[in-house]
Amino acid sequence: MLVPKSKYQDIKRALKVETGLREQAEATVQRQATTIALFQSQRDDLRSQLQHLQDEHPDTPVSVQPAVGDARVAQQLDLLERARRSLDEQVRALHKVNMQQEQEIVVLRAQLAALQPVEESAS
């Protein structure tokens, strides 16, 4: 089947354009694949670096070594002083309540004494 030369030239030009577009698309896909591979490699490097850092510096707390010598004595003195202050505060609070109750007792005794002569005279 014979095709006119002008139509042949049009088809040849269209094929050339499509071939160029295909090559561009393949190059873009290749660049994207390279970029993805690079990012995956970087991600893997960062993961291994993170794992290495976590191995060197774990997130879990390290057990505290008990104090020895003068440090232990200072620690015990601090604990004793805190306990003494706490007991002091409790004694002050109890003393304050005791004083209030004594005042109430004095008032109640006065009221009772005021009522007793009235009861004795009524009998």
Side-chain angles (χ1 to χ4, degrees), residues 11-107:
I11 292 173
K12 191 176 177 182
R13 210 173 304 121
L15 177 65
K16 193 174 186 179
V17 168
E18 289 299 319
T19 303
L21 290 175
R22 180 182 175 134
E23 288 173 356
Q24 286 178 352
E26 287 175 350
T28 302
V29 167
Q30 184 62 33
R31 280 194 310 272
Q32 288 174 346
T34 304
T35 303
I36 289 170
L38 177 67
F39 285 149
Q40 287 175 342
S41 172
Q42 288 175 349
R43 181 197 62 200
D44 293 341
D45 290 344
L46 289 173
R47 278 186 181 164
S48 66
Q49 190 177 16
L50 178 64
Q51 184 64 40
H52 175 73
L53 289 173
Q54 286 176 341
D55 288 345
E56 285 185 359
H57 307 287
D59 293 337
T60 57
V62 178
S63 62
V64 177
Q65 298 295 324
V68 292
D70 290 341
R72 180 71 178 154
V73 170
Q75 187 180 42
Q76 286 178 339
L77 285 174
D78 183 50
L79 288 172
L80 289 171
E81 181 61 24
R82 278 196 256 167
R84 188 197 59 77
R85 274 190 242 128
S86 174
L87 290 173
D88 250 1
E89 290 172 12
Q90 291 176 5
V91 165
R92 283 190 200 113
L94 289 173
H95 183 68
K96 184 178 178 181
V97 169
N98 189 34
M99 295 300 288
Q100 289 172 348
Q101 287 178 344
E102 283 182 13
Q103 288 174 354
E104 288 177 17
I105 289 172
V106 168
V107 170

